[in-house]
Amino acid sequence: MRMYDLIMKKRNGGILNDEEIRFMIDGYTKGEIPDYQMSAMMMAIYFKGMNEEETVNLTMAMAESGEMLDLSSIQGIKVDKHSTGGVGDKTSLALTPMVAACGVKIAKMSGRGLGHTGGTIDKLESFEGFSTEISTEQFIRNVNEIGIAIMGQTRELAPADKLLYALRDVTATVDNMSLIASSIMSKKLAAGADAIVLDVKTGSGAFMKKEADAFSLAKEMVSIGKNAGRKMMAVISDMDQPLGNAVGNALEVKEAIATLRGEGPKDFTELCLTIGSCMLQLSGLADNDEEAKEKLQSVIENGSALNKLASFVEAQGGNKNMVYEPELLPKAAIISPLYAPCDGYIDRIACDEVGICSLILGGGRETKESKIDLSVGIVLQKKVGDYVRKGEPLAVIHANDEDKKKICEERLLAAYRISNEKKDEGPVIRGLVR
Ligand code: URA
């Protein structure tokens, strides 16, 4: 078999069989197929798509490209959660300590930023010393002892996805349904959790721009997971404007900490409570949504969710004082408001543009090797439906470079549309798939 022939077959709209998919995934994982051929294949799949059978075969080949974790030595139901990626999506940072404080066992594998969206690992590295490069033994021990552990994708776990994720990030081949479904579900299956809750984003800041596509992606992933014997639920949530107000690594960590103190933005808090409720119900710790949300509210109010974050950060080598004193987190040198050019209601915020602005400031990667600046980003002061007066701040830019700040100012201003008529922001939760 030759990779060249497979690229041509897909480029011409052909259907790849299981053997061909395994040849390409094994060859790429072993380094026998070079990046340039795999990039061409990703682009061919991007344009020609994959059918359901190809997607399932791709998922299983990627999941089995490395070790399949055995979490049976952790007592209780182990739950994982994954988002398809968004702007200001700091959900895992606040949600996992909340549900762990309620007794759910969180054995989670997270990723880094992808395209214009941020990644949980990058954000967590805002805590000085924090590392997700922990051994499987430590991962299991932490889940047993603290109730929560997050690891990065090791070389052993779904290595094909680790390689493809980095390649797709820099070759404009992220937003394809089969590539997203196989990427997410391969690592979720390999990571061994009994139950998985997916947060599938839709809107201008999501990879799935249309709600119908987000529902299709959710159904496809839920079906792949159930067929592999896992308990599955998916929440479809809004990404037509950034989630919460903060976009950028350390800024998002600060907002997640505020949320654990009960002082978070309304949309972000609602999303955490909804996904948290699914996680509690799948673990058997709540019988219904109302009971689950009451439990989640109480761990926010009594401080145990915040303490859980501190224990988790400390257990993975991080400075837990930063949880209680978030002003110790990385800070940018330039903090500069962006003023509204006129009076009116915020009608629209081009969400992907806000993500790109954060990337331009240094908060994301331009190439696989780029190092990111944890301190930079944007804090929105006005969101869809809000009224703004000329000269009031729309957002505050956190930057370390004047030139980048200027580019960001121009793009961010263009991302906001201000109108005379008030438009209500849509619901943050668009639906559930189970
Ligand atoms: N998250 C993933 O893990 N993979 C994707 O392809 C998109 C979002």
Side-chain angles (χ1 to χ4, degrees), residues 82-85 111-112 114 117 153 161 165 168 173-176 179-185 187-188 207:
H82 200 88
S83 152
T84 56
R112 296 194 180 272
L114 185 66
T117 70
Q153 206 168 343
D161 174 62
Y165 192 91
R168 287 165 57 222
T173 50
V174 174
D175 48 336
N176 170 274
L179 296 179
I180 296 177
S182 55
S183 162
I184 292 179
M185 289 312 295
K187 57 188 164 239
K188 296 293 108 177
F207 295 124

Side-chain angles (χ1 to χ4, degrees), residues 368-430:
K368 286 206 279 186
E369 290 74 31
S370 307
K371 198 169 160 358
I372 62 174
D373 184 342
L374 295 165
S375 67
V376 298
I378 296 133
V379 182
L380 305 182
Q381 307 294 304
K382 298 287 174 189
K383 293 193 59 181
V384 173
D386 288 345
Y387 188 76
V388 66
R389 289 195 181 284
K390 183 176 174 183
E392 255 190 293
L394 286 171
V396 176
I397 298 172
H398 294 241
N400 281 320
D401 179 307
E402 273 296 339
D403 292 341
K404 289 180 181 169
K405 186 203 87 179
K406 282 210 178 75
I407 300 172
C408 177
E409 269 172 357
E410 273 169 32
R411 288 185 78 143
L412 202 53
L413 203 53
Y416 268 92
R417 195 167 69 198
I418 301 177
S419 129
N420 289 330
E421 272 163 49
K422 180 169 168 61
K423 179 179 153 195
D424 286 332
E425 87 258 60
V428 67
I429 309 297
R430 301 292 180 83

Side-chain angles (χ1 to χ4, degrees), residues 19-54:
E19 198 192 342
E20 289 167 335
I21 289 174
R22 285 199 180 253
F23 168 83
M24 135 184 137
I25 292 302
D26 289 352
Y28 187 56
T29 309
K30 288 185 189 135
E32 290 162 9
I33 292 173
D35 272 356
Y36 53 82
Q37 280 191 313
M38 204 51 162
S39 304
M41 175 59 92
M42 291 295 109
M43 197 54 89
I45 294 175
Y46 183 89
F47 280 116
K48 297 295 178 181
M50 278 187 141
N51 67 21
E52 227 174 290
E53 195 180 336
E54 286 177 293

